[in-house]
């Protein structure tokens, strides 16, 4: 440009064309990055949905196992009560008594309205 004598208007036009060209390339790059980000976010979303489904299935399995354990514990509790007898040979009622275990592993039969305090070791 220095070889050619250009007036100020022509130089301004050249700068404007150059600026517009750079801006056009920058806008294209921006749109490209935006689309890449959207694709990456969609991929992340799919991955998170799969993980959520997996965790929900796992939670359902844990809940099912927990319910089974509760049922087995209840049956065991009733089995223990069916074996217990008072001094007169009468069975203890699970409605009136409960079993409590201390930290040292001892098990006590206590009335439901009275609880044994767990002794600290």
């Amino acid at each position: 440009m220095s070889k050619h004598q250009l007036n100020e208007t022509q130089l301004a036009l050249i700068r404007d064309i150059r600026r517009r060209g750079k801006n056009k390339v920058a806008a294209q790059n921006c749109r490209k990055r935006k689309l890449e980000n959207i694709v990456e976010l969609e991929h992340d979303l799919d991955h998170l949905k799969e993980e959520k489904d997996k965790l929900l299935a796992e939670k359902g399995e844990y809940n099912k196992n927990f319910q089974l354990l509760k049922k087995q514990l209840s049956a065991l509790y009733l089995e223990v009560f069916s074996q217990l007898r008072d001094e007169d040979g009468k069975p203890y009622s699970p409605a009136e008594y409960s079993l409590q275990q201390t930290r040292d592993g001892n098990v006590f039969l206590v009335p439901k309205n009275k609880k044994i305090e767990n002794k600290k070791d």
Side-chain angles (χ1 to χ4, degrees):
M1 284 196 256
S2 59
K3 292 181 182 178
H4 304 307
Q5 292 296 327
L6 302 173
N7 65 27
E8 200 54 41
T9 308
Q10 291 171 326
L11 288 173
L13 178 63
I14 291 171
R15 284 188 214 109
D16 190 47
I17 291 170
R18 184 188 221 175
R19 182 183 50 80
R20 288 181 190 205
K22 285 183 175 182
N23 188 52
K24 182 178 179 180
V25 171
Q28 287 172 341
N29 289 339
C30 181
R31 285 189 290 272
K32 181 180 176 185
R33 279 193 310 274
K34 180 180 175 182
L35 288 176
E36 289 170 353
N37 285 340
I38 289 172
V39 168
E40 185 178 346
L41 288 171
E42 287 173 343
H43 178 264
D44 291 348
L45 181 62
D46 290 341
H47 176 73
L48 289 172
K49 283 180 180 179
E50 290 172 7
E51 175 119 9
K52 177 185 173 187
D53 291 342
K54 177 184 154 206
L55 290 172
L56 285 174
E58 192 174 317
K59 178 185 174 191
E61 194 65 31
Y62 286 141
N63 283 338
K64 189 169 92 173
N65 289 337
F66 180 70
Q67 293 303 320
L68 178 63
L69 286 173
K70 278 177 60 175
K71 187 177 177 181
Q72 289 173 341
L73 179 61
S74 179
L76 179 62
Y77 196 79
L78 292 175
E79 176 67 24
V80 169
F81 264 99
S82 72
Q83 303 295 320
L84 295 175
R85 301 283 185 255
D86 64 9
E87 301 83 26
D88 299 328
K90 296 177 188 172
Y92 287 101
S93 168
E96 297 174 19
Y97 293 90
S98 67
L99 297 174
Q100 290 194 357
Q101 184 176 9
T102 59
R103 291 180 190 231
D104 61 2
N106 292 321
V107 177
F108 292 94
L109 180 70
V110 294
K112 285 225 175 170
N113 57 2
K114 181 181 176 186
K115 303 283 183 185
I116 292 181
E117 292 182 26
N118 287 335
K119 296 179 184 176
K120 294 187 178 181
D121 296 324

